[in-house]
């Protein structure tokens, strides 16, 4: 079976044409993530909106070397967080993590146009060893934002 058959068109498309690929040259913050179980490596660059009181993630891009699930998840995540407020992003990350860990009723997940992509990621739950692959970009972003937030 092909990757498309197993994981579906949406994840295959994000894997083949990752969105927001490439690193920002003058990022506010760079954060690396590593998943030793699979060997996934990811680098996120974050650009925060200028102004100390504004906590908006203006831009988030990535590069990495990892399995198709990790890369597709990063592509979907970076699309969802552009221009969003920190508090909103942290809620989203937490909701996604709960959902992937099997919590059924999770609040705070999107129901707009982006929902289709994130719903495709929930399917990864069928492959428990790959859940960490799907989560890596999200936990890395959380780490990066926490650090940026602290100063
Ligand atoms: Zn992986």
């Amino acid at each position: 079976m092909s990757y498309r058959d197993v994981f579906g068109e949406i994840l295959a498309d994000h894997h083949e044409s990752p969105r927001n690929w490439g690193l920002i040259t003058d990022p506010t913050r760079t954060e690396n993530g590593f998943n030793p179980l699979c060997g996934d490596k990811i680098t996120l660059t974050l650009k925060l909106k200028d102004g100390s009181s504004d906590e908006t993630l203006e831009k988030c891009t990535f590069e990495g070397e990892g399995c198709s699930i990790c890369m597709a998840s990063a592509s979907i995540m970076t699309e969802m967080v552009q221009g969003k407020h920190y508090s909103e992003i942290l809620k989203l990350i937490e909701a996604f993590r709960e959902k992937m860990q099997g919590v059924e009723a999770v609040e705070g997940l999107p129901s707009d146009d982006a929902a289709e992509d994130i719903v495709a990621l929930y399917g990864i739950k069928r492959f428990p060893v790959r859940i960490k692959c799907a989560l890596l970009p999200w936990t890395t972003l959380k780490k990066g934002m926490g650090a940026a937030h602290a100063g």
Side-chain angles (χ1 to χ4, degrees):
M1 280 212 288
S2 75
Y3 182 82
R4 273 198 152 67
D5 295 331
V6 179
F7 297 111
E9 180 62 34
I10 291 174
L11 295 192
D13 181 56
H14 274 279
H15 170 228
E16 286 162 12
S17 321
R19 324 301 197 259
N20 305 302
W21 179 269
L23 302 179
I24 300 168
T25 48
D26 59 339
T28 313
R29 177 81 197 169
T30 302
E31 192 67 52
N32 296 300
F34 178 54
N35 169 19
L37 291 177
C38 178
D40 305 315
K41 283 184 203 159
I42 189 165
T43 300
L44 292 174
T45 47
L46 315 180
K47 186 81 182 168
L48 309 185
K49 204 163 179 177
D50 288 336
S52 57
S53 63
D54 197 326
E55 297 175 328
T56 298
L57 181 58
E58 198 166 71
K59 201 165 157 56
C60 173
T61 68
F62 79 103
E63 276 186 8
E65 238 180 282
C67 69
S68 51
I69 292 171
C70 180
M71 294 297 111
S73 182
S75 174
I76 289 169
M77 179 192 77
T78 53
E79 274 208 308
M80 294 187 68
V81 299
Q82 305 290 339
K84 290 218 166 96
H85 193 269
Y86 263 33
S87 57
E88 202 181 342
I89 295 170
L90 288 175
K91 266 185 227 157
L92 176 67
I93 293 171
E94 200 49 33
F96 180 68
R97 194 182 59 75
E98 283 184 13
K99 188 82 183 171
M100 293 304 284
Q101 289 172 344
V103 180
E104 277 307 318
V106 175
E107 285 177 32
L109 288 165
S111 50
D112 56 7
D113 292 349
E116 196 183 36
D117 284 2
I118 198 166
V119 166
L121 281 172
Y122 304 158
I124 301 299
K125 280 191 295 182
R126 288 180 293 142
F127 310 94
V129 293
R130 312 305 293 276
I131 290 174
K132 278 205 155 55
C133 303
L135 283 176
L136 181 68
W138 302 72
T139 52
T140 305
L141 177 59
K142 187 174 178 181
K143 209 161 51 145
M145 291 203 320
H149 200 82

